[in-house]
Amino acid sequence: MALQNESQGLFEKEGIPVVYTGIGKVNAAMTAMDVIQKTQCKVIINLGTAGSSKFKTHELIEVSSFVQRDMDISPLGFKVGETPFDPIPGAINLIPYFPELPQGVCSTGDNFETGTPKLPSDLVDMEGYAIAKVCRKMGVQLISLKYITDGADHNAHNDWAANLIPGSQKLLEYFKKMVEA
């Protein structure tokens, strides 16, 4: 997760260790790399919150792919979301884990999105693409669940804060399903 606010302390009360990345792509990438190197894990589970103008507030979504909405080198002829000369694609597809959950494309950027992103996407966050890119580079599977806290609109900052408790409860419920499987 990015912030302790997203877990509301529920995971810790259950004795579940959580790694918090901090906000943004750089912090997320550094943390993901650190976790992979220290643990030699084969799977990273990314849980967190997201905004969406497509999905309803309080829905839990499994991310089917991540795109990087704020990588824009289009004046030089590159597509928005594509990092020039990088072998890792602009869209990183994930292997589905929960067939019962709706799937969505998540665009990641270093901004709290309150409008329509430059890249088509179903939900928005600030860390996911960076984690996905590190996982792809290191050969680690990523499973990502996002709780929709807001409509990615003018009231997103208020809605996000107000919906953290039900979000953390839902994320904890699905985390337990993963570890019991």
Side-chain angles (χ1 to χ4, degrees):
M1 291 184 190
L3 300 171
Q4 288 181 317
N5 293 19
E6 290 179 300
S7 76
Q8 293 289 296
L10 296 180
F11 286 75
E12 289 84 354
K13 285 179 187 171
E14 298 270 343
I16 300 166
V18 179
V19 176
Y20 297 102
T21 65
I23 295 175
K25 295 185 304 185
V26 172
N27 288 329
M30 289 177 12
T31 303
M33 182 65 80
D34 189 48
V35 166
I36 292 168
Q37 288 179 334
K38 285 181 178 174
T39 67
Q40 299 297 304
C41 63
K42 300 295 179 210
V43 176
I44 283 186
I45 301 168
N46 169 240
L47 305 175
T49 58
S52 177
S53 58
K54 175 183 176 178
F55 295 112
K56 294 178 184 169
T57 300
H58 303 296
E59 276 191 273
L60 188 63
I61 308 302
E62 183 172 13
V63 177
S64 58
S65 84
F66 280 105
V67 295
Q68 185 174 213
R69 70 174 175 268
D70 61 353
M71 175 55 75
D72 186 355
I73 316 291
S74 57
L76 297 178
F78 296 94
K79 294 178 186 174
V80 174
E82 184 180 287
T83 302
F85 315 112
D86 190 335
I88 296 178
I92 299 174
N93 297 320
L94 305 183
I95 299 168
Y97 189 86
F98 288 106
E100 73 272 18
L101 289 177
Q103 303 270 314
V105 174
C106 184
S107 70
T108 299
D110 279 329
N111 64 312
F112 194 81
E113 188 65 65
T114 58
T116 304
K118 289 181 181 180
L119 287 175
S121 61
D122 305 314
L123 55 154
V124 295
D125 81 348
M126 296 178 68
E127 296 81 25
Y129 180 86
I131 296 168
K133 188 167 186 172
V134 169
C135 285
R136 175 66 54 92
K137 184 171 181 61
M138 301 301 291
V140 172
Q141 181 183 357
L142 176 63
I143 299 169
S144 182
L145 300 180
K146 299 291 182 176
Y147 182 82
I148 305 302
T149 53
D150 59 81
D153 56 18
H154 66 284
N155 205 38
H157 60 290
N158 292 322
D159 293 341
W160 177 79
N163 290 315
L164 289 171
I165 291 174
S168 60
Q169 291 167 335
K170 190 71 160 179
L171 290 167
L172 178 60
E173 172 189 335
Y174 268 79
F175 178 81
K176 286 180 176 179
K177 285 183 182 184
M178 280 189 251
V179 296
E180 291 170 0

